[in-house]
Structures are given as C-alpha cells and as structure tokens.
Amino acid sequence: EVQLVESGGGSVQAGGSLRLSCAASRSIASTFCMGWFRQAPGKEREGVVSIDRHGYTTYADSVKGRFTISKDNAKNTLYLQMNSLKSEDTAMYYCVAFSGGYCYHAMTDWDYWGKGTQVTISS
C-alpha cells in the first residue's frame, strides 16, 4: 500500500508560477512510475505528466514547455513546477503512482492516487 499526499496548491494570477509537491508514504520514487493528473469540474481527467524510475518523462501537449516534473528520491517526493500558468490550468491536481516498468502521462491504470490539491488561476 502506498499513500500519496499532495501539497502546494493555491490561487495564483495568470502568468504566475506554482510548485506542487507529493510525498509518498514509502520509498517508491526510485522504483515506481509517478506522475500528475488533473480534473476540472465537469471535465474529463487529463494526464499531465509522468516520470519513470529512470527519469524519462512524458508531457501532455497542453503543458509542454510550461510544466516540469522532477523528483527527489532521497526525500521520496515528487514535484510539479508550473510556470506561465493559464486559466485553463485551473483544476484539482492529483499525484499518481504505478508499479509497472513503463508509463506515460495519458495512461489510466495508475495504482495509487492522492486526494488532490486545488490549483486556481485568476485572470
């Protein structure tokens, strides 16, 4: 069992930046795939970004060039640096993890989900 706890959400103006964090209950960052999903009310879930145990990343086209995923294996923590934020980025952001050896941002069979952290972008 793995518990994922997100933090760092909040409200920021368009064009601003925000960094989300995800703390895992045990050491998985060096062995699991991890990533971020997001969902706005009334809209489908969107896979934002993934990072595998080797550091290979995939990004949704909507965030490519603006968001950067990273992790600190020693701290067992995942991060999402979000720059040049747009109103369209407003959503609940979920940290996800997968025990398999391959992952990509749009996959749906993630094993573990956090409860989410709200990100709201104002114009």
Side-chain angles (χ1 to χ4, degrees):
E1 182 67 22
V2 175
Q3 303 292 321
L4 303 173
V5 181
E6 304 95 336
S7 63
S11 182
V12 65
Q13 287 188 304
S17 298
L18 205 60
R19 189 176 79 157
L20 306 183
S21 298
C22 170
S25 61
R26 64 182 182 89
S27 298
I28 64 167
S30 62
T31 55
F32 280 37
C33 285
M34 298 187 75
W36 294 91
F37 254 72
R38 67 184 182 184
Q39 186 172 30
K43 297 185 178 180
E44 64 183 4
R45 290 176 297 174
E46 177 187 24
V48 178
V49 60
S50 69
I51 183 167
D52 72 10
R53 64 191 181 97
H54 299 120
Y56 181 81
T57 59
T58 74
Y59 290 85
D61 288 341
S62 59
V63 306
K64 194 172 298 182
R66 300 187 298 118
F67 290 12
T68 303
I69 191 171
S70 63
K71 59 179 180 175
D72 186 329
N73 290 345
K75 295 181 179 180
N76 209 30
T77 301
L78 182 73
Y79 304 98
L80 182 64
Q81 180 65 48
M82 304 184 291
N83 298 327
S84 301
L85 285 162
K86 306 174 181 179
S87 60
E88 305 95 280
D89 297 318
T90 295
M92 184 73 75
Y93 283 72
Y94 300 91
C95 179
V96 294
F98 175 59
S99 62
Y102 174 81
C103 60
Y104 64 103
H105 65 275
M107 62 182 275
T108 58
D109 56 339
W110 297 90
D111 295 316
Y112 303 101
W113 291 69
K115 292 184 177 180
T117 186
Q118 180 66 43
V119 171
T120 302
I121 312 302
S122 60
S123 300

